[in-house]
Amino acid sequence: MCPELWRWVVGAIPLIPTALTSLPIPVKYHACNGIDGVPSIYSYFQPLNSTMVSYENLKEDFKGLITQPGDEHYSIARYNSKSEREARYVVFPKDAEDVSLALRFIVSQKLDVAIAGGKHGSFGQSSSQGGVVIDLSKFLNNVVVDAEKKVALVQGGTNVIGMIKETFKYGLAGVTGNCGQVGVVGHLIGGGYGISIGEHGLAVDNVLSVSSG
């Protein structure tokens, strides 16, 4: 699993200026942001020599925000309100170290976990009832474009419209779907179907690399 959780380098196949076409022009990706909706990580990930992490440890070392029901920044809002669940904690990491610490806390406390990026899933994949939501959308939502190389670094909390807005500034665009609210990570996990698939393939075909830092 890639903690930041995934940073996509939206690198590109040969592109043409967007001004010359009415359709988005595909770009390739590098990723590092988590998946928008991971089932219980405790069920799959139990490191043999993991150091126990208490809530006090988490509060002391976590650089981002840790929220509980009733807190100002606590939010479980989703694109589909029927997929909302009341998490015990919603944490907003600022970097890969925060994500790693949160996961160690989750494993130590045997809690369920969900990773939220675009929060567009209809079946509650990015929500957790009584568990922990690691929400990447607040701090890990940046897009950095290298116009010369036609490559972009896209963090895991970014949604499709956020990526498109930034790449369009350089006359470029990514291979994406038709809904701007969908998270880039979630879109790629599903393969990445879109209007440019005939010429440029799936969005996942344009991924250059995935990293955690």
Side-chain angles (χ1 to χ4, degrees):
M1 179 176 297
C2 173
E4 201 166 302
L5 280 171
W6 299 22
R7 182 177 53 184
W8 311 90
V9 173
V10 183
I13 44 184
L15 300 180
I16 59 177
T18 55
L20 302 182
T21 176
S22 59
L23 298 178
I25 315 278
V27 222
K28 296 187 184 269
Y29 308 77
H30 280 302
C32 180
N33 164 190
I35 304 160
D36 189 5
V38 177
S40 174
I41 195 169
Y42 183 73
S43 302
Y44 306 106
F45 176 60
Q46 299 185 52
L48 295 177
N49 298 311
S50 176
T51 302
M52 294 295 290
V53 176
S54 67
Y55 180 63
E56 289 68 30
N57 296 145
L58 182 67
K59 287 195 299 181
E60 181 179 353
D61 297 327
F62 197 80
K63 296 182 287 292
L65 284 175
I66 302 171
T67 67
Q68 299 181 65
D71 290 347
E72 178 183 358
H73 296 287
Y74 178 86
S75 175
I76 55 172
R78 297 293 181 267
Y79 179 79
N80 182 346
S81 61
K82 292 184 178 180
S83 68
E84 295 173 359
R85 310 284 185 271
E86 185 168 307
R88 183 174 178 181
Y89 304 104
V90 176
V91 300
F92 301 91
K94 284 193 172 182
D95 56 25
E97 288 183 355
D98 271 358
V99 175
S100 178
L101 178 61
L103 290 175
R104 287 166 50 210
F105 167 73
I106 290 161
V107 172
S108 295
Q109 304 303 315
K110 300 183 180 181
L111 295 169
D112 183 69
V113 64
I115 309 298
K119 296 177 277 192
H120 195 272
S122 299
F123 304 104
Q125 303 100 312
S126 63
S127 300
S128 173
Q129 182 64 44
V132 180
V133 172
I134 300 177
D135 192 329
L136 306 170
S137 66
K138 191 174 189 67
F139 298 119
L140 298 176
N141 57 6
N142 296 307
V143 178
V144 178
V145 178
D146 185 327
E148 184 177 347
K149 294 181 179 179
K150 298 192 176 98
V151 169
L153 182 66
V154 184
Q155 289 185 307
T158 308
N159 58 18
V160 168
I161 193 63
M163 186 192 72
I164 291 298
K165 284 181 177 179
E166 190 62 28
T167 56
F168 266 34
K169 294 177 183 178
Y170 303 89
L172 305 173
V175 179
T176 65
N178 305 322
C179 182
Q181 288 82 15
V182 172
V184 172
V185 175
H187 179 61
L188 291 173
I189 287 172
Y193 290 84
I195 57 177
S196 58
I197 187 173
E199 184 171 356
H200 299 288
L202 297 169
V204 73
D205 295 325
N206 295 279
V207 173
L208 298 178
S209 69
V210 177
S211 93
S212 63

